[in-house]
Structures are given as structure tokens and as C-alpha cells.
Amino acid sequence: MIVSIVIPARNEESSIEQLVTLIRATFSDMAHVAAHEIILVDDGSMDGTWPVIQRLSAQPEGDVKGIRLRRNFGKATALSAGFKECAGDLIVTMDADLQDDPKEIPRFIEKIDEGYDLVSGWKRIRNDPLSKTAPSRLFNGVTARLTGIDLHDFNCGFKCYRREVIDSIVLYGELHRYIPVLAHDLGFKIGELPVEHHPRLHGVSNYGWERYARGMVDLLTVLAITRWLHKPGHLFGGLGLLIGLMGFSVLGYLFVVWLLGLGTIGGRPLLTFGVLTTLVSLQMISLGVIAEFFIKFNQPKQFNTFIAARSSGDAKRPEPSKEVGPS
């Protein structure tokens, strides 16, 4: 088994070297792991993070690989860059601030060996201020409820994946926190593991309240991807029917008012609203039908995404019949 550890870092020069030392100590006691590699991704640091990574990668152990992004692109891009360089059968992701403890890595691997494809960490006892823990609990609760995935901590960066999970998912924007949702949608088995969480000793957090606002927007994207990616007609058609029902109800009410002579309807804003919603309804339904055409056209290309394994026996195929012509 080869294990890759991917660590995105931004302005973490004070903690990276100690983290690498702890990871090496952890793997020195794991005889069943043939090799490990530590991939450090500098996500646009403004301090001395990159020189530290260069020094670590030049050490004789030869287990550190450094990647430097041109500027700060965000955690999802940093993880994607690290994933592309991985050679491991299992891939572990963790933060560079020493709040994730490398001694938990063997427990993640044991959990994977139980049959899980992705194991997500759960910071059950979190050593962060209330300004971070309160919105995080709200965010995790809403995400678990809407996605139907029973995880307590979607935001935890400490995770372990089988290689095929990483190969099946494309990250962009802020979707890194929704990897369990994307993996679950593809049929992978998701697990959770309570982990020890240490207080931050060096540097400052790179995240604030605004990340939860962005996270909620991304949650809508993920819900659309996982629920309606292969049936967009249900999404647009359903919205179109709902809006159309409103429009027809309004127009029906106005028709009854006109028919009974209860007043004029030509100058009423309600008439404009009814006509507008009816037209929007037709557009949404048409968009859903067009989207279904695209899905049907691309279906052969998407089919292999859902295949878990193949098996074939040694049975001989029947030989094609031969036509016997006149002698």
C-alpha cells in the first residue's frame, strides 16, 4: 500500500516543518504501508511557506513534494493540484495548521479497510472560538438535512479516500467541503471517524463568516448536480409547472372577474403578473426538454461513471453460423 498525504497551506511557515516531522513519525510505525509521500501545496502564501517547503523537499528522506500556485486560488484548487501529483492507493487530506493530528492516520486506514471508500473526520470536541463553531454547526446541520448524508462535520479537512474516489470527482470553486456528497452520489460508501482537534498554535485562520455564505451558494450547486444532473427535465419542468400553476390561477381569477362583470382587468398589475409567469413557465419547461436532449446525446459517455467493477468468465463464445452455399 502507498499512502499520499495532500496538505494545502497558506501562510503556514511556522507549522509545516513540525507537521512533516509528525507525519514521518507516524508512518515509521506502520509496517503494512510500503511507502508514503507528502505533497505540500502552497496556495499563494505571502510569508516564507514556500522556502520551507523547498527545504523539506530537498531532505534525504525524499518523501516530500512541493507545489506552488501562482496566487491564492482557494482550497479546492490547491487540493486538485495535489491530487494530480498523487501516486498513492489511499489519499489523506489534512490542514497545515497542526490542528489535525497525524497520529489519526492509522485509524483512517483501518476504517477504509472496513469497506469504506471515503472516511471523513469529525471534530467532535472542537478547539475553536464560538464565532467559528456556531456557524459551522448550523452549516453542517443544514447540509446533512438537505443532502440526506448523516455526517456531523462536512467542513473537516481531515479525510481519507480510495484512489478511485479522487479519480471520479472534479473539484472547482468551493466544492471541496462537499466531496462526501459528490462521492455518495456516485455510489461510494461514506464513513465518519471522530478525531482529536488541537487548538491553533501558529498563524491565524484564513476563513471567516463569508465562507459559510459561499458554502450555502455552493450547496445549491451540489444539490442541483447530485439530484438533477441526469434528469434536468425534472428540475426545470417542475419549476415551470409550479410557476405555470401560479400564472394560470391568476389568469383564471381575472377571467372570472371579467366574466361576472365585477370590474375591468386590463389595467391591473395582476394581469401582467399572470401573463409573465405563464410565459416563464413555458420557457422553463422548454429548457428542461432541451436539457434532456443533451443528456440523451451524452448518455454513452456518462455510463462508465457508475460501473464499480467488471467480471468475465472463461466460457467460449458460440461460433458464428456459416452459410453453406451450393457445391
Side-chain angles (χ1 to χ4, degrees):
M1 182 189 300
I2 300 176
V3 179
S4 300
I5 302 96
V6 178
I7 306 172
R10 183 167 184 257
N11 299 332
E12 301 287 359
E13 63 173 328
S14 303
S15 59
I16 288 181
E17 190 163 3
Q18 183 179 352
L19 177 60
V20 169
T21 300
L22 292 173
I23 292 174
R24 287 170 175 168
T26 298
F27 279 97
S28 66
D29 298 328
M30 298 172 64
H32 61 289
V33 175
H36 73 274
E37 60 177 0
I38 305 170
I39 300 175
L40 301 171
V41 184
D42 180 7
D43 186 20
S45 296
M46 305 298 291
D47 61 358
T49 297
W50 180 243
V52 174
I53 293 176
Q54 287 180 306
R55 185 171 70 251
L56 291 170
S57 62
Q59 291 179 348
E61 287 85 349
D63 57 350
V64 174
K65 181 185 296 184
I67 302 172
R68 187 182 190 185
L69 304 184
R70 292 189 179 93
R71 63 172 179 83
N72 175 230
F73 287 95
K75 194 171 184 178
T77 301
L79 287 173
S80 295
F83 292 156
K84 290 179 181 178
E85 298 293 328
C86 287
D89 308 297
L90 297 182
I91 299 170
V92 176
T93 61
M94 59 190 306
D95 294 333
D97 54 12
L98 292 175
Q99 291 191 274
D100 297 333
D101 198 327
K103 71 180 182 182
E104 304 280 3
I105 294 177
R107 297 180 59 224
F108 274 99
I109 297 177
E110 291 174 3
K111 193 76 173 177
I112 288 286
D113 288 340
E114 293 177 11
Y116 293 96
D117 300 301
L118 187 160
V119 178
S120 180
W122 171 23
K123 294 172 285 190
R124 179 183 292 174
I125 302 176
R126 186 169 176 178
N127 290 288
D128 280 324
L130 185 63
S131 60
K132 291 185 67 175
T133 57
S136 179
R137 286 180 185 144
L138 175 62
F139 172 83
N140 287 315
V142 171
T143 303
R145 183 68 178 271
L146 293 179
T147 61
I149 300 177
D150 190 19
L151 291 182
H152 296 86
D153 194 353
F154 289 86
N155 276 320
C156 183
F158 207 175
K159 292 180 172 66
C160 185
Y161 314 82
R162 293 188 188 272
R163 180 80 201 196
E164 52 266 33
V165 176
I166 296 302
D167 291 340
S168 302
I169 293 175
V170 178
L171 290 183
Y172 59 91
E174 298 283 337
L175 295 187
H176 57 275
R177 58 175 61 90
Y178 297 113
I179 293 179
V181 183
L182 299 173
H184 181 267
D185 181 60
L186 294 176
F188 292 108
K189 188 177 181 181
I190 312 299
E192 189 173 57
L193 183 69
V195 295
E196 187 175 358
H197 187 246
H198 299 291
R200 176 182 277 273
L201 300 177
H202 308 285
V204 295
S205 175
N206 295 313
Y207 299 103
W209 280 83
E210 70 280 357
R211 74 163 173 163
Y212 296 105
R214 296 195 304 267
M216 287 301 179
V217 175
D218 289 325
L219 177 58
L220 297 177
T221 301
V222 169
L223 290 175
I225 291 174
T226 55
R227 295 187 181 181
W228 295 292
L229 178 63
H230 304 290
K231 46 184 179 181
H234 291 195
L235 172 61
F236 295 108
L239 290 175
L241 290 175
L242 179 61
I243 296 172
L245 180 62
M246 295 171 54
F248 280 113
S249 299
V250 169
L251 293 178
Y253 164 74
L254 293 175
F255 175 75
V256 172
V257 170
W258 172 80
L259 188 63
L260 298 179
L262 300 177
T264 59
I265 63 174
R268 296 193 182 191
L270 202 57
L271 177 62
T272 304
F273 176 77
V275 173
L276 180 62
T277 51
T278 302
L279 292 176
V280 171
S281 170
L282 294 175
Q283 290 178 334
M284 294 291 287
I285 294 174
S286 300
L287 183 60
V289 173
I290 294 172
E292 289 288 347
F293 287 154
F294 279 103
I295 291 296
K296 181 66 176 178
F297 177 75
N298 292 319
Q299 191 64 37
K301 303 176 184 178
Q302 299 171 350
F303 186 73
N304 285 332
T305 306
F306 309 103
I307 297 177
R310 287 186 172 91
S311 177
S312 59
D314 296 329
K316 293 183 179 180
R317 295 182 180 180
E319 295 183 1
S321 59
K322 299 179 180 179
E323 287 190 7
V324 180
S327 56

